[in-house]
Amino acid sequence: MFALVDCNNFYASCERVFNPNLQGKPIAILSNNDGCVISRSDEAKALQLPMGAPIFKWESFCKQRNIEILSSNYPLYGDMSDRVMKILAQFTPDIEVYSIDEAFLQFKGFENFNFENYGKEIKNRILQWTGIPTCVGIAPTKGLSKVANKIARKFLKETNGVYVIDSEEKRIKALQWTPIEKVWGIGHRLQKKLKAVGCIKAYDFTQLDSDFVRKKYSITLWKLQQDLLGKPAIELDEHKNKKAIATTRSFEYTYSDIENIKERIATFAVNCAEKLRKQNCSCHMVIVMLRSDRHKHNLEQHKISRTVVLPYPTNSSLVISKCAVEAVKTIFKTNIKYKRAGVIVTGLVPEDNYQLDLFSEENPKHKPLMNAIDYINTKYKANCVKLGSQDLERTWKMRQERLSPKYTTNINDIIVVK
């Protein structure tokens, strides 16, 4: 059996854990630079606040309806997610973290368990230990566990947040209820194609000839069909290192001077290098991107990127940052107001297993230096050691006018009980 555990309105729920005054109130969480709505509580959804709404257009709407608007607090959300996943790992060793707020669990050797009670135990422990409400869907396959989770979420009072598909009758009933566009893995284009052949509900999709699905569409869609038929075809994904690492951000203001942009690129490059070291990899190439504000049609537009091939693979912040800054100087154009930039490192190889070069190699002092910097920054969780080319005050310069405290990741923001 498989389970999908999904946190309800995760970002809003994290905010409510440490601010009980938000319980029962409509909440909207904004994207980077307080741009648009990326998460809503059930109360905000009921008031018809759309997902992706630009807040400068919808702010008066929110004020009229007393919708609480908050900046995204990613350090808080990431830490709370990590706590939830560690709790889930107590229930089974087979777990796939699918996103920041959901995970698949596989139960091998649990044949004699009462899965409804087990699901409630999972849900209650997460709620008690973190304050985050969840829904649990349990079924014989990953695809069906997604369907079960949607039923648990839709009919919260009837299911108490836990639904188990453990019979053929329940499977058919669940699929007949689920619209084809709500099936996991079926996007906008694919749903159109399936509706054209008569698939309105998920059950209709399972009635298509399996050979037809495999030949007409893809092996991935065939596996999904088998999963919905109750025949496990989609396994838990093993953790794999990324093939490329990117750090891209919009600026809080448009920049037309090279110095500010060089500082941002340096910071993005250092962030990529840190991620490389975390997964024990080095990179062969660095890609630097610059883009003007595409929403300001009256201004001259400029979008460009530059790829730098390194003479040897590296994960040194010094080397990657220097290459990125040199690259951005070659693509920067004067009199352009830039709004977004990014750094991508690719051509990844294990840091202890790569082709050596006879004539060039990295300074051997870089590795122990990077280890020392990572140790200090991890211990104090404040990025207190930075390169001289970075802004010493903060990592990301983002507009966050409604930011809540970092309750669990910053010692100065810990709640004081009087």
Side-chain angles (χ1 to χ4, degrees), residues 310-356:
L310 302 172
Y312 46 82
T314 181
N315 57 22
S316 167
S317 297
L318 297 171
V319 175
I320 294 174
S321 176
K322 182 179 179 181
C323 288
V325 170
E326 290 299 319
V328 81
K329 288 195 290 188
T330 66
I331 61 177
F332 174 80
K333 193 174 178 182
T334 55
N335 301 321
I336 297 291
K337 292 186 179 295
Y338 290 101
K339 183 62 177 175
R340 189 173 181 84
V343 175
I344 302 173
V345 291
T346 186
L348 307 191
V349 294
E351 66 176 351
D352 58 352
N353 182 14
Y354 57 84
Q355 183 66 46
L356 298 174

Side-chain angles (χ1 to χ4, degrees), residues 150-207:
K150 288 184 182 297
I151 293 172
R153 184 77 173 91
K154 180 70 174 179
F155 304 102
L156 203 55
K157 292 182 180 178
E158 294 84 352
T159 63
N160 198 25
V162 178
Y163 189 72
V164 182
I165 298 177
D166 53 5
S167 68
E168 185 66 5
E169 182 183 359
K170 281 187 174 182
R171 183 188 72 84
I172 293 173
K173 187 176 180 181
L175 295 180
Q176 288 175 337
W177 171 81
T178 306
I180 190 67
E181 62 268 19
K182 296 296 183 182
V183 175
W184 174 49
I186 295 183
H188 182 69
R189 291 183 180 179
L190 192 52
Q191 67 171 274
K192 285 186 175 181
K193 294 179 180 179
L194 291 174
K195 284 182 177 180
V197 294
C199 296
I200 306 302
K201 298 289 186 179
Y203 180 75
D204 302 327
F205 171 57
T206 62
Q207 297 308 294

Side-chain angles (χ1 to χ4, degrees), residues 216-286:
K216 176 75 174 177
Y217 302 103
S218 65
I219 185 67
T220 302
L221 196 61
W222 176 82
K223 286 183 177 180
L224 176 59
Q225 186 194 43
Q226 297 303 302
D227 248 39
L228 296 180
L229 286 167
K231 304 171 185 176
I234 305 175
E235 300 295 330
L236 288 186
D237 285 342
E238 296 180 3
H239 176 74
K240 296 178 182 178
N241 285 336
K242 297 177 180 178
K243 295 181 180 179
I245 294 172
T247 301
T248 62
R249 293 287 188 276
S250 293
F251 306 140
E252 77 278 30
Y253 307 110
T254 54
Y255 290 143
S256 56
D257 62 299
I258 186 67
E259 294 305 318
N260 268 312
I261 291 175
K262 281 165 58 179
E263 189 280 327
R264 291 292 80 200
I265 289 294
T267 296
F268 298 167
V270 168
N271 185 260
C272 288
E274 289 172 350
K275 292 178 180 178
L276 278 174
R277 295 195 292 273
K278 282 182 180 178
Q279 68 174 42
N280 301 315
C281 286
S282 295
C283 71
H284 274 289
M285 289 183 288
V286 179

